Structure formats: structure tokens, C-alpha cells
């Protein structure tokens, strides 16, 4: 059992660290949440600088602008960036998930056109999957794309929880292209220009007041022929690729999502009465157990990834541990510090506000537990009413049920 | 980055599982509650080389580490096997630092002699004193007093309650204090002034416990320093956590099997979300415990400064996981899960007693908090 770098990784780490030391002064100083133009421009420039140094998309094949390195190299970069206290790349979604999806399923033309600008943050991307009526049940989406005679498409519908939509150039969008097929079989993935006519982007404010996400409306938007990524009506397979890369990206960044026991320890230790209080210690010890378990489960996951294994659904349990551990930590810290912890400028106030929503992000905890129970433990599924029937019939049934 | 078991470790685990599978340990656990004899697994331990796991190779041991010991204990825990390694292994880890002659060390490695660790809890940021297990209640007992004499001998005075595996041990490795500083002394179990009183009325018959009393008992001062004696306490925690992990795995397997075959209202109970979610929670806690056991095993060799935190976290996770898993395996089985004849209550008994040994799971939780709050751990 060895958590140390191999000599090669150690050399790589030293290189990355040195570069960051020399270039950290060029990094933006804020996380740039929200869509202030200046902040976005600064983050774009920072990603461009990292890309020019070869530190963006390191796991991408070299022929598409990456370095063809393994996932552990990406982990080294993530760790060194965190250590240096500088922001990561602006378009982690594009580079981590959407670009690799295009690499896996796109045409040569699409790869030529889109990958290099994505890598350099000339064009930022967003993921257009979830809808108001289809989050966990992604295959239940209703955004509709109809093909015209000339091969172009007309897209109508709505997407929600879209990070970075407000400054994205393109989105990768899952739409229904055949409503008479079963729900998983009539879907197609598209590249959508976010400045096309008929696209409307509206920010969604979260509990904290910050607009982290957006909703995006498509009103008869025209898509050029060749906007499809992968086969027509074969979009579900493409979506699964994206979700797989999402799990890999989360796995590579899993050193806590910022939820580390020692970060929370510092806040409590600053209060000498709290640090000796048995109730505080019991609560802290329990949540620290969870967060430490998260970190070392992450290392087991990375070991598996580095051996070429794709994380399975059990990897989702890490999210349950992380979110609930962080919730317990936020509650404890605010109990210790008092109302001051809820001051709008306090990091704890932001954490506390952000976490309830995070429970649902990337799949609700309930669905996650269902999936693990069925696909990992092999427990029988609950009866489902949506399999084996055309999607159009399914929607009609649901409307009837609601009406009655 | 290689945070997984080596091939040798996987083989060690498989061999242990195989060795234990030959004995009907779970049935024996029930029979022992009614006075039946427990199978003698010490010869199995000798043949497998577990008795010398933590003794160095020059004395005929395997010279292995915490992770290997934990792998064996996890397999023992899985089948509620009563094999006195929780007492023997931390004692041998202390003895490995020197103090006894080569011949005795060789016999201990071969299992011809059996040792028992009579523990003292290291001080912490709230109370720096080393303490011993009390008979009852929250106030810890003072650690035995050691008075060094001539020629490497010392007299020991004090009591330690609830000592695992002291009954029938040949050598007691007692951790006490001299002017507040920890010292370990090896005593012959039948030496004058040594009393090992088997604890009666135990809840978990697979866990022999004893109250050890020392009255001017004379023994040999051991070479182990404060670091080694600290480490032994946390090693014992890690071993209890490992036993718990094995038991959790067994509880989960049995729960899942039953949930697939038992029907109600026309479908298997495992198809109901409440049951499914409970069993997923057992799995989540199980895997978290496993990750922390790996952390403890890695820290034992590679990050000694973090071993206390790692082992405490492992114990905290394993204890809570087994509490949860043992109650779930009873509940999933409905009423029959709560009958004498069913196996589930035996895992419940194991959970109940384990959580109160050596400071208890609660002490491990507090220790982890203290280590992190004082910045002693990463």
C-alpha cells in the first residue's frame, strides 16, 4: 500500500509545482462566481495560460490537444492547484466531460472545430441534460428536436441547473427525436450554439442568493445539419459516456470537494472551550470519521481508475458521505461560533446555504441509494411503469394520473 | 498511488477465510452461551503463522504489519471466531521492541506461548494521564504503578478490568506508569501476585474477558518506549475495527440474501425502498470502514504520526457500522431475527460487547477529535 508518487509522478509534480509558483501571480484572485464580465475574462485567461503550459486536458489524447497522460496526472495537477491556492480551470465541465464525449462519439469535423477552442477557454461549454420534469430520470426528458428536409433541426424545450450557461459559447444537449420509441431509444445528442436565435438564458438564484445555475429555453432554435453527436436516436449511449466521464472527473477531484476534516478542525479549535467540550468533540469526531473515510475511499477509487477500471455506481456513495459529512460540519461550526457564522460574508454561511441543494445535484440521494441497492447489492427493483412502452404513451398516462 | 491490498495480502485473507470456514464457529458461539465449549482455534492460528505475525523474522515470526493482522482479524470477526489474537498480537508488537530472551520470543512467535496485552490508555489533550479500564462507570482507573528494581525487573501494583484473552495466557504484557511515564512489564501469568479472574456473565461468549489484579507482582521491564506503547493501544483499536468489518460483511450478505427471497404484498422485501436504503447504508458504512482500516494499516508503517487518528477513525467507523448492521440484520429478518435460534442475535451480542472494550467506540471518536483539533494529525 503506497500513497507516495512514483518517481515519474514526483518529477511531474515538481514540474507542475514550479510552474504554479512562477505563474500564480497571474491567476484570478476570486472564484468568479456569478457572471461579472471581468471575472469571467480573468478566468478564461488563466485557463488559456494553463492550457498553453500543457496542464489542461492532460488525459485527452495528444492528437486532440491533450497530453495522453493517465488520470493520476490530472490528480497531481488538481492537488497542486489546491495547494497553491489558485483557481482551477473555468471550464471543468467542458474539458472534463463534454470534450471527452465529443472525442468518443463526435465526427472528425466536430473534433477539429470544437476541441482546441474548448481547451483554451476561447469557447466555454455547458451541459444541457436536466429538465424541470427530468432530473434523476434523465431518459424522461422532453426537449424535442425535429429534423427538417434539409437535414437541419428545430429544437424546442427547456433545460435547467445549467452551470456556466451565461457565458458559454456551446452546449451539449440531449433531446428527444422520436417520441414513438421507448424512452431510452428516441434520444439524440446535439451541439447547440448558445447565441443562436431562440435561445434564452435566465439565472437561477440558490439559497445563498448566488446565481450558480441557469435555466435555458429553446424556442424553435435552428441547428445546422451535422449538429448531432453520435447516431440519431442513439443519444442515450452518448449520454452514458458523459456520465461516466462525470464520475471519473469527480473521482479525480475527490480529495474532499473542499470538505476536509482539518479545514473544519481549525474553525472549532479556534474556540478553546469548544475544543474541550465533550459534545462538540463527539459530534466532530463522528463527522471527521466520515470525511476521513471519504478521502481514503477516494484513494481506493483512484487506484482502481489508474488500473483502467471505470468507477461503478458504488462510487456515488462517496457523494452521500461528503454531503452529509459537510452538513454535519456546517451545523456544528455554526453551533460553536453562533450567529456570526451565518454572516453573509462568512465562508460557513455560503457552505450551509449550498449544501441542501447539493444533496440533489448529480442525482438525488434517494435515487443514488436505489441505484446502489439494485446495481451493486443486486436487490430487486421496485415495480416500474415506464419500461417497454412508447414515450408518447407514457406522458399521456402521467397526465391522466395527475388529472385524476 | 496504490491504495489496495497486495497480492500476498489477498492470499493471506483468503487463507484465513478458508481456515475459519472449517470450523462451525457461529454455531459454537450460540452453544457457548449455554455453557458449551468453544472450539480451540489456537492450533489453527499456529499452523497459519498468525501467532508470529507481528514478531520479527529473526525470532521466527513473519515480520508483517498492522494491515496483515487486521486482515486475519476481519476473517475471524466475520464468523465470530473466538481466537485470542486481540490479546496476543498487540502484546507481541510490544515485546518485539525487546526485553525478553530469544527463546521466549521464538515460542511466542510459534504460539507455544500465548501473550495477553493488559492495556493502558495513552493520555490526550484533555487528560495527559495514562489510565486503565475501570470495572464500571465513566471514571477511568489509574494505570498500574510500576517500580523498577535491579537487573531489569520491576514490581507492579494495580488492577485492569475487562482484559481480552487474559484467561489462559502464559505471558501478561502489562502497560503501567512510573512517575507518570508509561512502562511495559512482562509477567508470567502464574507468577506470585498475579490474579486473572475470568469475567462472569458475559453477553458475548466468544469474547473471554478477565479482570487482572497485580499485587507486588514481579516482572521484566520491556524495551518498548512511549511511542510503542501508544501504538499498541491504537493497534488494538484497529484490530477491533477489523473484527467489526468482517462481521458487518457477514451481516450484509445475510441481509441481502434474505431480502431477495422473502416476499410480502406480492414482491420481495428487498424491492421496497426502505429496506433497500437501509442495506445500502450498511454497505456505505462497510466500505468507509474498509477505507479507514487501509488508512490505519498504511499509517502504521508509513505515517506513524497519523496512526492514532487513523486507528481511532477506523474503530469509530467499524463500531458504528457493526451496531447498524447487526440491528439491520435482525430487522430485515422480521420476528425470527430476534429469536434465540437465529444467528443474527449473535452478531448483535458481538456488537454490544465490542463497542465497550478498551475505552469503547466513544473514546475512539473523542480521540480522533482531539488529534485533529490539536493539529496532531493531517
Amino acid at each position: 500500500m503506497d500513497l507516495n508518487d512514483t518517481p515519474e509522478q514526483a518529477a511531474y509534480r515538481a514540474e507542475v509545482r514550479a510552474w504554479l509558483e512562477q505563474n500564480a501571480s497571474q491567476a484570478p484572485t476570486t472564484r468568479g462566481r456569478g457572471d461579472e464580465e471581468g471575472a469571467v475574462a480573468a478566468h478564461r485567461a488563466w485557463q488559456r495560460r494553463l492550457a498553453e503550459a500543457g496542464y489542461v486536458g492532460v488525459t485527452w489524447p495528444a492528437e486532440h490537444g491533450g497530453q495522453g497522460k493517465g488520470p493520476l496526472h490530472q490528480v497531481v495537477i488538481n492537488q497542486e492547484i489546491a495547494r497553491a491556492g489558485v483557481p482551477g480551470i473555468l471550464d471543468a465541465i467542458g474539458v472534463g466531460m463534454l470534450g471527452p464525449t465529443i472525442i468518443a462519439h463526435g465526427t472528425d469535423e466536430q473534433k477539429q472545430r470544437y476541441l482546441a477552442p474548448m481547451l483554451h477557454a476561447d469557447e466555454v461549454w455547458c451541459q444541457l441534460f436536466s429538465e424541470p420534469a427530468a432530473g434523476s430520470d434523465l431518459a424522461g426528458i422532453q426537449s424535442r428536436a425535429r429534423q427538417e428536409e434539409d437535414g437541419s433541426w428545430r429544437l424546442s424545450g427547456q433545460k435547467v441547473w445549467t452551470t456556466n450557461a451565461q457565458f458559454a459559447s456551446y452546449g451539449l444537449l440531449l433531446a428527444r427525436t422520436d417520441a414513438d420509441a421507448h424512452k431510452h431509444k428516441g434520444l439524440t445528442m446535439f451541439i447547440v450554439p448558445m447565441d443562436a436565435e431562440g435561445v434564452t438564458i435566465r439565472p437561477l438564484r440558490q439559497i445563498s442568493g448566488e446565481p450558480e445555475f441557469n435555466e435555458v429555453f429553446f424556442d424553435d432554435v435552428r441547428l445546422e445539419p451535422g449538429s448531432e453527436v453520435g447516431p440519431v436516436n442513439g443519444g442515450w449511449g452518448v449520454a452514458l459516456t458523459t456520465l461516466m466521464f462525470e464520475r471519473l472527473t469527480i473521482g479525480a477531484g475527490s480529495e474532499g470537494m473542499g470538505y476536509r476534516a482539518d479545514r473544519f478542525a481549525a474553525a472549532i479549535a479556534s474556540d478553546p472551550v469548544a475544543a474541550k467540550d465533550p459534545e462538540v468533540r463527539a459530534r466532530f469526531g463522528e463527522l471527521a470519521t466520515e470525511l476521513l473515510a471519504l478521502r481514503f475511499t477516494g484513494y481506493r477509487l483512484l487506484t482502481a481508475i489508474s488500473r483502467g477500471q471505470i468507477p461503478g455506481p458504488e462510487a456515488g456513495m462517496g457523494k452521500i458521505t461528503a454531503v452529509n459529512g459537510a452538513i454535519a460540519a456546517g451545523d456544528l461550526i455554526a453551533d460553536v461560533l453562533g450567529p456570526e457564522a451565518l454572516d453573509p460574508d462568512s465562508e460557513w454561511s455560503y457552505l450551509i446555504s449550498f449544501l441542501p441543494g447539493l444533496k440533489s445535484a448529480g442525482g438525488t440521494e434517494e435515487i443514488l441509494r436505489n441505484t446502489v441497492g439494485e446495481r451493486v447489492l443486486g436487490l430487486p427493483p421496485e415495480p416500474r411503469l415506464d419500461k417497454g412502452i412508447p414515450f408518447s404513451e407514457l406522458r399521456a398516462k402521467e397526465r391522466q394520473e395527475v388529472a385524476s | 498511488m496504490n491504495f489496495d491490498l497486495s497480492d500476498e495480502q489477498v492470499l493471506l485473507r483468503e487463507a484465513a477465510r478458508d481456515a475459519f470456514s472449517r470450523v462451525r464457529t457461529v454455531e459454537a458461539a450460540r452453544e457457548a452461551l449455554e455453557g458449551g465449549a468453544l472450539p480451540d482455534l489456537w492450533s489453527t492460528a499456529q499452523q497459519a503463522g498468525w501467532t508470529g505475525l507481528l514478531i520479527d523474522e529473526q525470532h521466527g515470526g513473519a515480520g508483517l504489519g498492522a494491515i496483515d493482522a487486521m486482515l486475519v482479524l476481519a476473517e475471524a470477526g466475520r464468523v465470530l471466531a473466538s481466537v485470542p489474537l486481540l490479546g496476543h498480537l498487540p502484546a507481541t508488537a510490544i515485546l518485539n521492541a525487546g526485553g525478553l530472551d530469544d527463546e521466549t520470543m521464538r515460542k511466542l512467535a510459534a504460539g507455544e506461548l500465548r501473550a495477553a496485552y493488559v492495556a493502558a490508555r495513552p493520555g490526550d489533550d484533555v487528560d495527559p494521564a495514562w489510565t486503565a479500564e475501570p470495572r464500571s462507570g465513566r471514571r477511568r482507573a489509574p494505570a498500574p504503578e510500576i517500580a523498577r528494581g535491579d537487573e531489569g525487573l520491576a514490581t507492579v501494583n494495580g488492577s485492569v478490568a475487562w482484559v481480552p484473552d487474559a484467561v489462559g495466557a502464559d505471558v501478561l504484557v502489562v502497560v503501567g506508569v512510573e512517575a507518570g511515564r508509561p512502562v511495559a512489564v512482562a509477567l508470567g501469568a502464574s507468577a506470585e501476585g498475579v490474579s486473572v479472574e475470568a469475567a462472569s456473565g458475559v453477553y458475548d461468549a466468544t469474547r473471554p474477558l478477565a479482570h487482572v489484579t497485580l499485587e507486588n507482582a514481579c516482572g521484566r521491564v520491556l524495551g518498548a518506549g512511549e511511542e510503542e506503547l501508544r501504538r499498541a493501544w491504537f493497534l488494538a483499536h484497529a484490530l477491533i475495527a477489523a473484527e467489526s468489518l468482517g462481521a458487518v460483511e457477514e451481516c450484509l450478505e445475510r441481509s441481502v440474501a434474505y431480502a431477495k427471497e422473502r416476499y410480502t404484498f406480492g414482491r420481495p422485501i428487498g424491492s421496497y425502498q426502505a429496506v433497500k436504503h437501509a442495506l445500502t447504508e450498511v454497505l456505505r458504512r462497510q466500505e468507509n470502514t474498509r477505507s479507514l482500516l487501509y488508512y490505519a494499516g498504511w499509517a502504521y508503517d508509513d505515517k506513524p504520526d497519523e496512526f492514532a487518528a487513523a486507528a481511532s477513525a477506523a474503530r469509530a467507523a467499524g463500531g458504528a457500522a457493526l451496531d447498524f448492521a447487526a440491528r439491520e440484520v435482525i430487522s430485515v429478518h422480521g420476528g425470527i431475527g430476534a429469536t434465540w435460534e437465529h444467528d443474527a442475535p449473535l452478531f448483535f451480542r458481538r456488537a454490544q460487547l465490542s463497542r465497550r472494550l478498551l475505552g469503547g467506540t466513544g473514546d475512539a471518536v473523542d480521540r480522533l477529535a482531539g488529534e485533529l483539533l490539536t493539529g496532531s494529525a493531517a
Side-chain angles (χ1 to χ4, degrees), chain A residues 153-165:
Chain A
W153 301 82
R154 286 289 176 177
L155 170 69
S156 286
Q158 182 190 352
K159 296 294 182 184
V160 76
W161 313 129
T162 315
T163 307
N164 292 347

Side-chain angles (χ1 to χ4, degrees), chain A residues 26-49 87-92 118 120-125 163-169 210-212 214:
Chain A
Q26 306 299 320
T29 50
T30 63
R31 291 226 110 247
R33 296 241 78 100
D35 56 354
E36 289 178 32
E37 271 191 48
V40 174
H43 281 271
R44 263 191 221 271
W46 176 239
Q47 179 171 333
R48 190 169 299 126
R49 185 177 282 269
I89 60 173
L90 177 64
D91 194 8
M118 181 196 290
H120 289 81
D122 297 327
E123 291 166 350
V124 173
W125 284 63
T163 307
N164 292 347
Q166 67 276 46
F167 50 78
S169 303
E210 296 291 322
E212 311 273 357
N214 300 275

Side-chain angles (χ1 to χ4, degrees), chain A residues 54-61 65-68 74 89 95 119:
Chain A
Y55 297 134
V56 180
V58 294
T59 57
W60 286 19
Q67 273 69 47
Q74 183 62 58
I89 60 173
V95 174
L119 212 57

Side-chain angles (χ1 to χ4, degrees), chain A residues 1-6 9 72 75 79 260-262 264-266 268-269 274-278 280-286 288-290 292-300 302-303 306-307 314 317-318 320-321 365-374 376-383, chain B residues 1-6 9 67 124-126 252 255-257 259-260 267-273 275-295 297-298 302 306 309-310 312-314 316-318 365-374 377-378:
Chain A
M1 212 161 278
D2 187 357
L3 287 179
N4 297 320
D5 290 335
T6 62
Q9 281 160 9
L72 292 181
V75 171
Q79 289 172 336
R260 282 181 58 118
D262 51 343
F264 300 125
I268 293 168
K276 296 279 202 300
D277 180 308
V280 170
R281 290 164 73 98
R283 285 171 65 182
F284 182 64
E286 276 176 26
T289 299
E290 295 284 289
L292 276 176
L294 176 69
R295 188 165 130 213
F296 289 92
T297 299
Y299 292 150
R300 288 170 59 199
L302 278 176
T303 301
S306 73
R307 291 175 185 169
E314 67 278 356
M317 293 195 295
I320 296 173
T321 300
E365 185 173 318
E366 288 79 4
I367 294 291
L368 214 43
R369 287 181 187 273
N370 267 17
T371 306
V372 171
E374 287 163 22
V376 180
L377 294 179
L379 291 168
E382 286 170 279
Chain B
M1 164 76 55
N2 178 25
F3 202 63
D4 198 357
L5 302 178
S6 66
Q9 286 162 347
I67 189 74
D124 62 19
D125 60 317
V126 171
L252 180 59
S255 299
V256 168
K260 286 176 177 172
R267 52 182 169 108
I269 63 170
S271 68
Y272 290 91
Q273 204 174 85
V275 175
K276 191 173 292 174
H277 284 198
L279 299 188
T280 307
E281 179 61 10
V282 176
L283 176 67
R284 189 187 69 84
R285 289 167 183 249
Q286 173 187 289
E287 289 311 308
N288 280 355
T289 300
R290 192 187 314 283
S291 301
L292 290 170
L293 282 169
Y294 284 11
Y295 175 29
W298 170 76
D302 287 44
E306 291 180 30
S312 299
V365 173
D366 185 86
R367 174 74 60 167
L368 177 63
E371 291 284 311
L372 290 170
L373 291 170
T374 56

